[in-house]
Amino acid sequence: MTTTPTARGTPVLSPAARVVLRLSLAAGLAVIYVPLLVVLANSFNADRAFGWPPTRLTGQWWAVTWDNEGVRTALWTSVKAGLGATAIALTLGTMAAFAVQRYRFFGRETVSLLVILPIALPGIVTGIALNNAFRTVLSPFGIQLGLFTVVVGHATFCIVIVYNNVLARLRRLGTSVEDASADLGADTFQTFRYVTFPLLRSALLAGGLLAFALSFDEIIVTTFTAGAGVQTLPIWIFNNLFRPNQAPVVNVVAAALIVFSVVPIYLAQRISGDARTI
Amino acid sequence: MNTERAAVTLCGVRKAFGSVTAVAGVDLEVYDGEFFAMLGPSGSGKTTVLRLIAGFERPTEGTVHLGGRDVTGLAPFERDANTVFQDYALFPHMNVLANVEYGLKVKKVPKAERRRRAREALATVRLDGYERRRPGQLSGGQRQRVALARALVNRPKVLLLDEPLGALDLKLREEMQVELKSIQRQVGITFLFVTHDQQEALTMSDRIAVFNAGRIEQVGTPAEVYERPASAFVAGFVGTSNLIAGAVAEKLLGRDGVYSVRPEKIRVLAGADLSADVSGEEHSATGTVADVVYAGAATRFVVDLDVGGRLVALQQNLWTSSMDVLELRHERVRLAWRREHEFPIDVAGGD
């Protein structure tokens, strides 16, 4: 027997092929997620040298980490950078999406490409370019490398996420509901408030969460745009990675970072999934 | 023009999109309380005219008056006209009641009153009890009714309907035709609707404007447009029409020009009746039946005339069965019609 009855529309596979494919999927996912689980488990490992398997579990490292002044400062910096970059991305990304989707103008396709490009550019190139630009152009105006330049650096690629989300939503909505709103007597502001914005809200939320997650664990662009005094959480990890006595704390920070990144992505997926049913 | 009675007046309206002229000079007057149809094939400019009246487009030339007021430069939300869109354009994130209330809400009508009026409008379209549903949970016909209630609740001067029944299946469409008509009588608002379906236009309207290539070919009551088409285009688009022209007209009717005769006005005489005399009030022609199409209630005969040309005749199946009529294929027949059913067509004015 080479075929098995399957649901309509799914390819017919032999049992052997199904087993092989399932094992490949499991192996692929394992390569990605087992190391992450090890990091999470090790953050509770009582053994300072991380002997495996853990002989004893403890919450001690989490407490130590929470009391670590450097970690707390870095966490706060990362949150501020993430919020700043997300705010810029939401504003500019939404405006760019409206311009490209709703208006016809010279260079429209080019603008669209230029907005998307930063996500494809190697982070190191963006980083070096921004670093040069900030130091040569902005420093004469008294702006030094610091949190502000990190926010700007992150915004360059966070915009793309919001832009793509909003663009797709606008394309799907079309203009007829806005026409209907105007037809029923709503002025431009009322139409935005009652119709356009509510219909965009989930796309904005999903885009914003993804943008925040991207910013929160970014390291390359951050390295080049953060001044000496500014440390985000990923930078803090990188700087402390090879100090043996910091190892347990690094582990906990890494574990925290995993949780911090997974939650927004999960929520963003839930939200864009829900949006399809409106 | 008598703008006192006019709900909508268009004067010399032209609309060009870049190098494409969608509307090439239209003058039109729609009276208060009328059920008015703009009929034409796709691309004839009828929908653009509707959008010009609603305010979604600005005319390149000419003026638009609503109820005697010049609205040419006004935005859609400043005009006393509401639209039922072809795709309904209901707000997907609001329930039925919120959709219907929307126009009143943005005009700051107090909540109690707008709730009452919205429920009234929903009752008019027989959708009471559906207030809490989302548009996504409604059928096509129900969405159509919500769109209608949402427009009617504002009591506009003019209700614009863009192919309102286009997305419905035949049975539902026929029901809605009757219902739209009775709702219009009940509310007394001017209805101006766009359609490409000549049957729909003939059934529902008080008057029809037939559009072709960005112009109006004829404005008139359904009977006028159907029985006395002003141009070859109208004769061809509204119903099936036979055109008798040139040498054939000369031989059959004894005069030059282009004439139209509707298929159902032509009698088909066969067998013993073939050589029977036709009355002096009739014209007749002999020919051979090229094709017979049996359509249940009636039969369509396509006849090649001996003098040249081809006429279509439609006969009710009063005495005949499908067997009888199908036997007439390739047989000799005589066609006869009363002279008053020949209508001269102004070719110069047409296309």
Side-chain angles (χ1 to χ4, degrees):
Chain A
M1 196 177 86
T2 53
T3 58
T4 45
T6 56
R8 243 163 54 152
T10 55
V12 176
L13 294 171
S14 71
R18 287 155 66 99
V19 169
V20 170
L21 286 174
R22 278 178 188 178
L23 285 178
S24 323
L25 177 66
L29 290 177
V31 167
I32 301 170
Y33 288 102
V34 168
L36 290 178
L37 288 175
V38 170
V39 170
L40 276 174
N42 268 343
S43 71
F44 295 100
N45 193 339
D47 182 4
R48 199 165 247 284
F50 300 126
W52 192 263
T55 47
R56 212 158 48 81
L57 293 180
T58 171
Q60 175 198 353
W61 304 131
W62 283 81
V64 169
T65 309
W66 185 246
D67 288 336
N68 185 314
E69 198 57 40
V71 171
R72 288 175 109 173
T73 315
L75 173 67
W76 182 229
T77 305
S78 272
V79 168
K80 280 193 287 190
L83 290 178
T86 305
I88 293 178
L90 282 173
T91 317
L92 296 184
T94 307
M95 287 165 74
F98 265 93
V100 168
Q101 178 60 26
R102 291 293 162 82
Y103 299 95
R104 298 284 166 270
F105 54 90
F106 177 75
R108 186 169 142 265
E109 297 296 321
T110 315
V111 168
S112 183
L113 180 70
L114 289 179
V115 171
I116 297 174
L117 205 55
I119 200 106
L121 282 178
I124 195 149
V125 175
T126 311
I128 292 171
L130 284 174
N131 182 282
N132 275 333
F134 288 147
R135 279 190 311 167
T136 53
V137 180
L138 287 184
S139 63
F141 296 101
I143 295 175
Q144 300 299 320
L145 291 183
L147 183 62
F148 173 74
T149 50
V150 171
V151 167
V152 173
H154 286 190
T156 58
F157 51 83
C158 287
I159 286 175
V160 186
I161 305 298
V162 175
Y163 172 82
N164 274 341
N165 266 282
V166 174
L167 192 74
R169 180 62 56 87
L170 286 177
R171 192 170 289 154
R172 199 160 57 84
L173 284 180
T175 53
S176 73
V177 285
E178 288 172 350
D179 277 356
S181 170
D183 185 77
L184 291 164
D187 58 37
T188 317
F189 175 72
Q190 286 173 318
T191 295
F192 185 79
R193 178 174 162 204
Y194 294 127
V195 176
T196 317
F197 181 71
L199 289 173
L200 281 184
R201 194 160 36 206
S202 59
L204 289 173
L205 203 54
L209 285 167
L210 283 173
F212 184 83
L214 260 192
S215 160
F216 199 76
D217 58 18
E218 213 286 335
I219 184 155
I220 303 171
V221 173
T222 317
T223 315
F224 286 94
T225 51
V230 177
Q231 253 186 0
T232 61
L233 214 48
I235 301 258
W236 185 92
I237 296 181
F238 194 70
N239 289 343
N240 291 277
L241 197 53
F242 303 110
R243 296 182 188 163
N245 60 340
Q246 288 281 48
V249 178
V250 168
N251 229 323
V252 170
V253 173
L257 214 48
I258 293 172
V259 176
F260 262 99
S261 311
V262 166
V263 170
I265 303 267
Y266 171 74
L267 288 178
Q269 256 211 337
R270 280 280 303 268
I271 290 163
S272 22
D274 284 350
R276 249 167 259 136
T277 60
I278 60 168
Chain B
M1 281 194 212
N2 172 18
T3 47
E4 302 282 296
R5 281 182 60 213
V8 181
T9 311
L10 302 180
C11 285
V13 169
R14 232 172 54 77
K15 175 67 185 176
F17 296 101
S19 58
V20 182
T21 305
V23 179
V26 161
D27 294 288
L28 180 66
E29 193 161 62
V30 179
Y31 305 133
D32 234 353
E34 240 185 338
F35 202 117
F36 192 93
M38 299 201 283
L39 173 68
S42 57
S44 61
K46 57 194 194 303
T47 297
T48 308
V49 168
L50 196 82
R51 292 178 63 83
L52 284 163
I53 298 169
F56 298 125
E57 312 285 354
R58 301 280 163 91
T60 314
E61 265 173 52
T63 57
V64 179
H65 284 77
L66 276 180
R69 189 166 75 112
D70 187 348
V71 297
T72 314
L74 298 184
F77 54 82
E78 297 167 310
R79 299 186 182 202
D80 194 10
N82 288 126
T83 309
V84 175
F85 293 84
Q86 187 171 9
D87 61 356
Y88 314 140
L90 299 177
F91 306 126
H93 58 301
M94 298 180 193
N95 64 26
V96 167
L97 189 65
N99 262 283
V100 177
E101 278 185 349
Y102 187 81
L104 302 173
K105 179 173 155 192
V106 297
K107 287 188 206 94
K108 314 257 189 283
V109 174
K111 189 163 183 167
E113 189 193 339
R114 68 178 195 237
R115 194 126 295 188
R116 184 182 56 75
R117 279 171 65 180
R119 285 182 194 283
E120 218 175 83
L122 282 170
T124 309
V125 298
R126 297 195 287 123
L127 271 184
D128 353 38
Y130 286 84
E131 288 85 354
R132 301 279 154 222
R133 300 270 191 103
R134 292 284 179 113
Q137 301 167 304
L138 300 177
S139 71
Q142 291 168 335
R143 276 183 225 181
Q144 223 257 298
R145 288 159 194 270
V146 176
L148 194 60
R150 186 178 69 172
L152 283 175
V153 78
N154 306 293
R155 294 173 196 151
K157 184 103 198 116
V158 184
L159 186 73
L160 306 169
L161 303 107
D162 185 6
E163 302 263 3
L165 310 177
L168 305 180
D169 62 54
L170 183 66
K171 194 85 185 147
L172 203 54
R173 196 156 67 217
E174 285 171 351
E175 275 174 36
M176 279 307 288
Q177 286 177 1
V178 177
E179 199 168 330
L180 267 184
K181 189 85 186 152
S182 84
I183 289 173
Q184 193 253 346
R185 254 183 247 120
Q186 189 188 331
V187 296
I189 293 172
T190 310
F191 275 34
L192 179 54
F193 86 109
V194 157
T195 181
H196 64 264
D197 182 339
Q198 45 107 1
Q199 204 55 50
E200 196 168 288
L202 291 173
T203 329
M204 298 169 75
S205 343
D206 297 320
R207 286 196 305 149
I208 300 172
V210 184
F211 278 72
N212 179 35
R215 292 178 195 282
I216 294 180
E217 297 257 336
Q218 185 176 5
V219 180
T221 64
E224 281 166 3
V225 169
Y226 185 74
E227 289 181 10
R228 299 162 191 263
S231 68
F233 175 81
V234 176
F237 191 74
V238 183
T240 326
S241 191
N242 294 303
L243 290 185
I244 304 172
V248 180
E250 202 99 43
K251 280 182 197 146
L252 284 181
L253 318 175
R255 50 186 193 263
D256 198 15
V258 181
Y259 300 86
S260 117
V261 184
R262 292 291 176 189
E264 68 276 14
K265 305 290 189 193
I266 301 178
R267 291 195 292 141
V268 180
L269 306 166
D273 294 334
L274 191 58
S275 51
D277 275 342
V278 297
S279 76
E281 288 163 2
E282 285 183 311
H283 274 134
S284 76
T286 52
T288 311
V289 175
D291 200 8
V292 180
V293 182
Y294 177 76
T299 303
R300 191 180 296 274
F301 297 89
V302 182
V303 179
D304 285 327
L305 301 182
D306 297 339
V307 293
R310 171 177 268 202
L311 289 180
V312 176
L314 190 74
Q315 302 288 288
Q316 287 234 349
N317 293 330
L318 267 181
W319 315 108
T320 46
S321 71
S322 64
M323 298 299 286
D324 300 335
V325 294
L326 289 173
E327 274 171 18
L328 283 177
R329 191 168 288 166
H330 309 310
E331 291 296 314
R332 301 275 305 156
V333 291
R334 176 181 290 271
L335 302 178
W337 60 91
R338 298 177 72 86
R339 291 174 184 214
E340 70 255 35
H341 292 142
E342 295 158 6
F343 290 102
I345 281 170
D346 176 13
V347 184
D351 237 355

